[in-house]
Amino acid sequence: MATADVHSSGLRRFSRFLVDENRAQPGRANVMLRCVFACAIVITISMTLQVPFLALSLLVVFYVTQSNVVMTRLVGVVFVVGVTVAIGSAILVLKLTFDYPLLRILLSAGLFFVSAYLMRVAKIGAAFFIVGIVVIYVQSFVDLTDHAEALIRIVLWVWVAVNYAIAITLLINTLCLPAEPVEQLEDAMLGQLAVTRSALAHLERGERGVVELNARAIQDGTLTLQRLLRFATMRDANYRRRQAFHLARVATVSRLYAAAAHLPESMANIPAGVLHALGGACERFAHAIRTGERFTVPERLTNIVDLGMPGAVEEMREAFLAFASRSAAPDSMETEQEEQRFLVPDAFSNPVYLQFALKTLLAAMVGYLFYLATGWQGIHTIMLSSLIVAQPSLGATSQRGILRIGGAALGSAIALAMVVWVVPRLDGIVGLLLMSLPVIALGAWISAGSERISYAGTQVMFTFGLALLGQFAPTTNLTEIRDRIVGILLGVAISTVVHASIWPEAEGEALRQRVGALLRKLATSLRQQEDAISAPNALWAELADCEAMAARVALEPGWQMGEGQREGFQHHVQTVLAQTREILLAAGAFEAERRSQPNGEGSAQRAAAIWATTVAVSLEGYASNLTGGQQSVHAPAPVFSDDEALLLTDAAKRAYDRLTARATRLMGLVSTLPAWRDHQFFDNGIAT
């Protein structure tokens, strides 16, 4: 019964994961439509003009189509450069070594090794990924024919199939449904301002609780604005020239959005008309974003005599005043940033990069040896898988392998159903499009999701295309479907074993160190009262990086520790990260109340400083023990006295009570950080 309960719980978690990852999100349908439109044109052109490698052309469409025009063009240019270099290198290798198989393999292996190395150290690693893919893929062409001219023709058709698909994709993404990052950024800011304005309106009407904002929503909103600002800066020269202004605008929206999450329960201590004025300021701010006009603060917010307002309300007021001062200042002429280096700083000093390239090469050569020994032409994807699933960490490699297998299985199942029931009834290009486009739309929808599932969508489409779109006539050959899935399974298995057995790049310890560093940064911000604009945004971004690393660590092969040890490690990581998210939100609320305390009430400020220091010491102690590998790590329970409150006036006492409540909430969260038990202290899942 216990086993059945575990399986049932696992299925429920998996179903929730699928539902959450496939929800409709802003811009997702746009990406899907652009993919489908471009793929429809590519299928029509390839079938009409008989351009080979249609599945490869469709794969390029999926890779190049990005969330906005900036990234689409950047990836498109990188792919053109990469495939041109790759085809040139492959032709050069064939010209020099066509009659010398051993020399051909050695030279190709050398190029593959260099490509895998540059994938890790170069700024445009995607270009060298393409070089490695083409170099190893061409080796399977050599076994198809012994005519040099025919072989060169095949290689050149690869260049045509890739580059014309890139041209079509860039044209579609420029003319049809373009997703401009500037517009996306403005829409995102307007959406968060609308939520803030709604929260203020509900509070003014006494309808507290109608607008719910949690720590996850605040984190996602902050990171979305930061990401879109980066893309907008790349796209628009005006954004680059006024980057500081636009950064201040984004940070102001983030401050307002976060403050809306901890508005008070009632209007007590809020001067009359302030909430209405804040709502009006939100409308003015939204108008300034839409039109580009200068933002001005409503007079009601600049002439508030009554002190001791709730911290969230005062935080919103300060955010508007600060931005109004910034927008009134002249634009600074910002200097061009220093050109980025082509390679990472430790490209030649860190042995990890060479080890990664050697592991990837070994996996590819083992797959190629199996391919030659069996003479099984259909499993040539065994070599491609070695490079496709190779990732910087063991968990990321496992994640990519799982997505590749899952996507290939789904794509193969769909292809099998089409071969049995649909293909015999096809009689033209219209029927082919009606059969293919729904599958492409499914793959594009999945591919437009988060990194946890996106590659599976690409694999669904590619496997389906290899099985049914590889010829210029209907096919009923089921062995193609079988061979593709067998090649993928073998390639993923070989690559996973090699990467896990030789110089494994596990991230478990690095994750502990990074979580500890995040807690120390939070402690530092509490001690120093860092700028409210920059510090929270950086902390949210760091938390997101930790969560992404935790997701990869959860997929690392666990044969070096027992299943109970793995579960214990993952449980503690997820608990600490979830608690840290709530601590970040509570710390923001505490700092807002801290800054809103009336001037001159020194006792309240002293108490706030003491409490902030107490929390900081607790966080630093927990982080030190966490990163030091202690057997058991407990956060001390902070205790404080409110004797200072006796010295306050009645008006300040109400503000002080709110500060006390925020401090109590923050300290309670810190004191309940879970005990951490390192996996080395587990034995068969039982703590010793």
Side-chain angles (χ1 to χ4, degrees):
M1 180 62 70
T3 303
D5 291 340
V6 171
H7 290 310
S8 177
S9 176
L11 289 175
R12 286 196 299 270
R13 288 197 301 269
F14 181 68
S15 63
R16 285 198 300 269
F17 169 79
L18 291 180
V19 170
D20 292 340
E21 291 295 330
N22 287 284
R23 292 184 188 277
Q25 299 172 352
R28 193 168 189 174
N30 181 283
V31 175
M32 182 193 71
L33 290 174
R34 285 184 277 132
C35 264
V36 171
F37 195 11
C39 287
I41 296 176
V42 168
I43 292 174
T44 303
I45 292 176
S46 292
M47 287 297 177
T48 303
L49 302 180
Q50 294 193 352
V51 180
F53 304 111
L54 175 54
L56 182 60
S57 298
L58 297 177
L59 181 66
V60 169
V61 172
F62 267 61
Y63 273 124
V64 175
T65 302
Q66 299 291 317
S67 59
N68 57 71
V69 174
V70 171
M71 293 302 298
T72 297
R73 292 179 179 175
L74 177 61
V75 174
V77 171
V78 170
F79 267 53
V80 169
V81 173
V83 76
T84 302
V85 173
I87 294 300
S89 302
I91 292 176
L92 182 62
V93 170
L94 293 175
K95 178 178 177 59
L96 298 176
T97 64
F98 183 77
D99 295 325
Y100 307 96
L102 179 59
L103 183 60
R104 169 176 58 82
I105 294 174
L106 291 177
L107 188 55
S108 299
L111 284 175
F112 184 85
F113 172 82
V114 173
S115 300
Y117 174 76
L118 291 174
M119 277 174 54
R120 289 289 300 270
V121 303
K123 298 293 184 181
I124 53 172
F128 297 101
F129 169 78
I130 300 171
V131 174
I133 284 287
V134 171
V135 167
I136 200 66
Y137 192 37
V138 166
Q139 303 312 306
S140 63
F141 295 164
V142 179
D143 301 309
L144 296 177
T145 178
D146 56 356
H147 297 287
E149 182 178 355
L151 184 60
I152 294 299
R153 285 179 177 272
I154 293 174
V155 175
L156 290 176
W157 271 118
V158 172
W159 187 89
V160 173
V162 170
N163 283 285
Y164 106 85
I166 292 175
I168 294 295
T169 305
L170 293 178
L171 182 64
I172 294 301
N173 281 269
T174 301
L175 300 179
C176 304
L177 302 173
E180 291 287 348
V182 172
E183 297 176 1
Q184 290 178 313
L185 175 60
E186 291 180 354
D187 289 343
M189 288 192 293
L190 292 175
Q192 293 187 20
L193 284 175
V195 173
T196 303
R197 188 169 62 251
S198 177
L200 290 168
H202 287 307
L203 177 59
E204 190 175 10
R205 294 193 298 266
E207 300 173 356
R208 174 64 178 165
V210 177
V211 179
E212 292 291 342
L213 286 175
N214 54 27
R216 171 64 73 179
I218 300 302
Q219 179 184 3
D220 292 343
T222 300
L223 297 180
T224 296
L225 294 186
Q226 291 178 4
R227 183 178 67 253
L228 291 176
L229 176 62
R230 184 170 66 253
F231 292 150
T233 303
M234 295 167 58
R235 170 67 168 167
D236 195 315
N238 176 61
Y239 268 69
R240 287 193 297 274
R241 184 176 63 86
R242 305 182 65 196
Q243 186 172 358
F245 167 78
H246 292 294
L247 177 60
R249 189 171 66 170
V250 165
T252 301
V253 174
S254 296
R255 290 181 69 182
L256 296 171
Y257 194 55
H262 37 76
L263 286 170
E265 295 290 339
S266 67
M267 294 183 59
N269 301 109
I270 302 177
V274 170
L275 292 180
H276 182 75
L278 287 173
C282 288
E283 293 180 359
R284 289 191 186 186
F285 199 12
H287 178 74
I289 291 174
R290 286 192 296 265
T291 63
E293 298 178 0
R294 187 167 70 88
F295 169 75
T296 57
V297 181
E299 184 178 356
R300 181 70 183 91
L301 296 181
T302 61
N303 299 316
I304 297 179
V305 179
D306 189 8
L307 300 175
M309 288 193 304
V313 178
E314 181 65 23
E315 175 77 358
M316 291 184 177
R317 175 176 173 270
E318 288 183 0
F320 282 127
L321 292 174
F323 180 75
S325 300
R326 173 62 183 85
S327 60
D331 295 331
S332 60
M333 298 301 294
E334 309 212 4
T335 59
E336 294 291 331
Q337 293 183 350
E338 183 182 356
E339 185 178 357
Q340 292 185 341
R341 299 177 56 179
F342 178 71
L343 303 178
V344 297
D346 60 345
F348 301 107
S349 60
N350 193 340
V352 170
Y353 305 131
L354 288 175
Q355 293 170 358
F356 170 81
L358 285 172
K359 290 185 294 183
T360 306
L361 175 61
L362 176 60
M365 290 297 100
V366 170
Y368 186 60
L369 178 62
F370 184 87
Y371 168 77
L372 291 179
T374 58
W376 196 347
Q377 293 287 342
I379 64 168
H380 60 81
T381 50
I382 191 174
M383 292 101 68
L384 303 182
S385 296
S386 64
L387 186 62
I388 290 174
V389 304
Q391 297 295 309
S393 69
L394 189 55
T397 298
S398 301
Q399 182 184 51
R400 179 59 66 90
I402 292 172
L403 293 177
R404 183 164 171 80
I405 292 174
L410 180 57
S412 298
I414 296 174
L416 178 61
M418 295 295 183
V419 167
V420 174
W421 288 296
V422 179
V423 172
R425 295 173 174 80
L426 291 181
D427 57 0
I429 187 66
V430 175
L432 180 64
L433 290 174
L434 291 176
M435 177 190 71
S436 304
L437 292 184
V439 181
I440 292 174
L442 172 63
W445 181 266
I446 299 174
S447 180
S450 70
E451 292 184 359
R452 294 192 294 179
I453 65 166
S454 60
Y455 182 71
T458 303
Q459 193 60 44
V460 168
M461 181 281 305
F462 189 55
T463 306
F464 176 84
L466 284 175
L468 296 184
L469 304 177
Q471 302 178 13
F472 303 113
T475 178
T476 57
N477 187 2
L478 297 180
T479 59
E480 289 287 337
I481 300 174
R482 178 203 64 191
D483 292 349
R484 296 291 182 265
I485 194 68
V486 170
I488 289 172
L489 288 173
L490 290 174
V492 171
I494 292 172
S495 185
T496 301
V497 170
V498 169
H499 281 267
S501 303
I502 305 175
W503 300 309
E505 295 184 60
E507 292 183 301
E509 181 58 30
L511 176 60
R512 293 194 352 154
Q513 299 296 329
R514 191 156 190 174
V515 172
L518 170 61
L519 295 176
R520 289 194 184 94
K521 291 178 181 178
L522 175 56
T524 300
S525 69
L526 287 170
R527 285 180 182 275
Q528 299 178 354
Q529 301 186 58
E530 291 185 1
D531 180 37
I533 293 179
S534 59
N537 293 348
L539 293 174
W540 285 121
E542 183 69 17
L543 176 61
D545 292 340
C546 290
E547 290 174 335
M549 183 181 290
R552 296 193 299 268
V553 170
L555 295 175
E556 291 180 356
W559 54 65
Q560 296 178 348
M561 65 176 76
E563 188 63 27
Q565 300 170 9
R566 283 177 49 80
E567 291 178 357
F569 182 85
Q570 295 166 17
H571 170 73
H572 286 93
V573 168
Q574 297 297 336
T575 303
V576 170
L577 291 177
Q579 192 79 343
T580 301
R581 186 184 305 110
E582 298 298 330
I583 290 173
L584 282 174
L585 185 61
F590 171 75
E591 286 296 334
E593 293 290 351
R594 182 180 183 179
R595 289 190 295 272
S596 70
Q597 292 299 304
N599 294 328
E601 299 293 348
S603 55
Q605 296 294 344
R606 285 197 302 270
I610 292 172
W611 298 337
T613 302
T614 304
V615 173
V617 170
S618 298
L619 288 173
E620 289 169 346
Y622 186 86
S624 298
N625 291 333
L626 182 64
T627 56
Q630 301 296 323
Q631 178 177 359
S632 181
V633 181
H634 291 278
V639 179
F640 63 92
S641 171
D642 61 352
D643 291 339
E644 295 279 2
L646 300 177
L647 304 177
L648 300 175
T649 63
D650 291 339
K653 179 65 165 59
R654 292 190 293 269
Y656 180 81
D657 289 340
R658 292 194 301 269
L659 176 65
T660 303
R662 297 298 188 187
T664 302
R665 165 70 174 165
L666 177 59
M667 293 182 177
L669 288 171
V670 172
S671 64
T672 56
L673 279 168
W676 183 288
R677 294 187 181 276
D678 197 4
H679 68 79
Q680 66 183 345
F681 300 104
F682 282 79
D683 183 19
N684 296 325
I686 302 175
T688 59

